[in-house]
Structure formats: structure tokens, C-alpha cells
């Protein structure tokens, strides 16, 4: 458990803040951890053996990276209003608005730095 609590919302920068806080507290604990496993609510272990798996794969990292295409970068640069980031039902007007903006950006209709 964390000493300091961090309220985080799905898809928000607060998730990054909470992750950094977890890593900081693990480092500050001055324990010799082999791994730090960060899981969220849906990352439940469904079978036994996770600890054994890590023991059998010592000194290995389980992080992947890939090159980000320009089209994906355009979408990442969107400064979504906080209210639009929340989860909504399919018929909610803000979700429809977000879907429309996403579609326009992904088609390149809006260019970063260009005024409409």
C-alpha cells in the first residue's frame, strides 16, 4: 500500500502520476526488489504461477516499445478537455463529439498548428 494516496482516472495523466509515485515508494523502501509489477483493476491474475514465472526469468525485462507513426502522434497531441476523457455510454453526446474529432484528426483534416 502507498503511504500517499493518488486519485487517478482512466486515460488521464493522473495514471502516470500514480505510476511514478508507486515506483518512487518502491525505491524509497530500500528493499532489494527483483521486479515491480504495476497492475490496474482489470489486471487480475487468473491462474497461479506468476511468482514462479518471474523467478524463472530473472534479469529479464518485460517492456516492449515500437515506433510511433505520425498519424498516431497527431492524435496524441490533441489536448482533450477533461470532460471528454470520461467514459460514457455509446449514445452520450460527448462521446459522439470525441469520436467525431478523433475521426477528423485521424484523416488528417485538422493539422497541428493550423487554424480552422
Amino acid at each position: 500500500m502507498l503511504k500517499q494516496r493518488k486519485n487517478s482516472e482512466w486515460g488521464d495523466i493522473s495514471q502516470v502520476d500514480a505510476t511514478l509515485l508507486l515506483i518512487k515508494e518502491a525505491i524509497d523502501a530500500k528493499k532489494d526488489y527483483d521486479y515491480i509489477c504495476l497492475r490496474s483493476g482489470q489486471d487480475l491474475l487468473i491462474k497461479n504461477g506468476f511468482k514462479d514465472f518471474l523467478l524463472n526469468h530473472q534479469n529479464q525485462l518485460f517492456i516492449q516499445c515500437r515506433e510511433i507513426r505520425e498519424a498516431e502522434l497527431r492524435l496524441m497531441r490533441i489536448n482533450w478537455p477533461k470532460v471528454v476523457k470520461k467514459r460514457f455510454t455509446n449514445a452520450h453526446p460527448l462521446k459522439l463529439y470525441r469520436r467525431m474529432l478523433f475521426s477528423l484528426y485521424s484523416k488528417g483534416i485538422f493539422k497541428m498548428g493550423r487554424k480552422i
Side-chain angles (χ1 to χ4, degrees), residues 75-109:
L75 296 174
M76 289 180 198
R77 291 180 185 129
I78 298 173
N79 188 12
W80 296 104
K82 192 161 185 106
V83 68
V84 178
K85 293 180 189 176
K86 295 185 183 292
R87 291 183 178 185
F88 298 106
T89 63
N90 285 337
H92 195 283
L94 287 174
K95 185 167 186 175
L96 297 173
Y97 169 73
R98 181 176 61 204
R99 190 176 295 159
M100 179 194 68
L101 283 179
F102 185 83
S103 175
L104 292 172
Y105 272 100
S106 65
K107 292 177 178 147
I109 292 173

Side-chain angles (χ1 to χ4, degrees), residues 9-40:
E9 296 182 32
W10 182 86
D12 190 54
I13 192 68
S14 58
Q15 284 186 308
V16 175
D17 296 337
T19 301
L20 293 173
L21 181 62
L22 284 164
I23 293 170
K24 181 183 180 317
E25 287 205 18
I27 291 169
D28 289 348
K30 304 260 190 264
K31 293 185 179 178
D32 191 20
Y33 293 111
D34 292 324
Y35 292 98
I36 298 173
C37 180
L38 303 173
R39 296 180 289 177
S40 63

